[in-house]
Amino acid sequence: MTAEARASRDSALELREKKRVLAALVVHDLRSPLSAVGGCLELLRSELGDDTNERVRGYLDDAETLLKKALGLVATILDVDELEDGILHAYRTPLRIIELIERARAGNRAHEEMRQLTIEVDVDPDLVVRLDKDLFARVIENLLENGMRYAPRGGTCAVTARLDGDWLELAIGN
C-alpha cells in the first residue's frame, strides 16, 4: 500500500470515529430531555387522576406514544452508524403484524384526527411474521406517516398486509 493510500485510509478511519463519537453525543443529549418529558407526562397523568375525561387521557396516551417514537428515532442514529459499519443485526421474532400497524396508528392519531383521515386496514389479525420488531415498526411508522401526510384532507389511507409464499407484502398508500 502506498503512503498516499495509507493516509487516505487513516483519514477515512479518523473521520468515521469522529462521526461515531458525534452520534453518541447527540443521542445522549437528546435522550435526556426526552426522558424528562416522559417524566412530566407521568406526573401530569398522576396529577389529573382518574377523573380525567377520556379525550384528555387519549391525548396523554398519544403524547407518550410520540415520545417513544422520538426515543426510537434517536436510537436510529446509532443504528445507521452500525449499519454503515456492517454491525447492525436484525433480531427476527414471530409477531402479529397488526400490532405494529396499530402501534404506528397510535403514534399518528393526532395527525389522523386533524386531517380528518380515514385509515382502512385490511390485515388478517392472526397474520404472524418473523421480523425485527423495532426495525420494522419504524418502517411501518414512516410509511404510514408519509401516506397520511400526502393524503388529501378528509381522504383515505389504506394499509394491507398479506403473505405471498415466504414473502410479506405490505402496502401503505393514499
Side-chain angles (χ1 to χ4, degrees):
M1 180 182 291
T2 67
E4 185 177 296
R6 269 193 304 278
S8 178
R9 181 199 65 206
D10 291 347
S11 177
L13 290 173
E14 183 180 334
L15 184 60
R16 179 175 282 159
E17 182 57 27
K18 285 181 180 180
K19 185 177 141 208
R20 183 177 292 120
V21 168
L22 177 62
L25 288 172
V26 168
V27 166
H28 177 268
D29 289 349
L30 286 173
R31 275 188 183 149
S32 294
L34 289 173
S35 296
V37 168
C40 289
L41 288 171
E42 285 180 36
L43 287 172
L44 182 58
R45 188 180 294 278
S46 68
E47 285 293 319
L48 292 172
D50 294 334
D51 296 336
T52 307
N53 72 43
E54 189 174 324
R55 188 176 190 123
V56 171
R57 277 195 309 271
Y59 289 143
L60 284 170
D61 291 343
D62 289 348
E64 288 171 345
T65 299
L66 291 168
L67 177 63
K68 288 176 186 172
K69 182 178 179 180
L71 285 166
L73 292 172
V74 168
T76 300
I77 294 170
L78 294 178
D79 289 348
V80 168
D81 220 27
E82 289 180 3
L83 180 63
E84 288 176 350
D85 290 344
I87 58 174
L88 179 65
H89 299 286
Y91 298 100
R92 296 171 15 143
T93 59
L95 59 96
R96 292 175 47 237
I97 195 73
I98 194 72
E99 292 174 7
L100 297 183
I101 293 167
E102 291 305 320
R103 179 171 140 187
R105 282 192 70 188
N108 287 291
R109 197 162 322 281
H111 194 80
E112 179 182 334
E113 288 179 14
M114 285 187 325
R115 298 190 34 107
Q116 301 169 342
L117 298 171
T118 300
I119 309 297
E120 294 177 354
V121 178
D122 180 17
V123 177
D124 177 354
D126 296 321
L127 176 59
V128 174
V129 293
R130 287 183 53 81
L131 299 168
D132 184 301
K133 182 179 182 177
D134 295 328
L135 293 175
F136 207 76
R138 286 187 235 150
V139 169
I140 291 175
E141 288 170 5
N142 288 333
L143 290 173
L144 184 60
E145 184 179 323
N146 287 341
M148 293 170 71
R149 179 182 303 129
Y150 295 107
R153 183 183 259 312
T156 300
C157 193
V159 180
T160 61
R162 50 187 49 80
L163 287 179
D164 182 9
D166 290 337
W167 294 89
L168 172 66
E169 183 180 294
L170 173 72
I172 300 176
N174 50 33

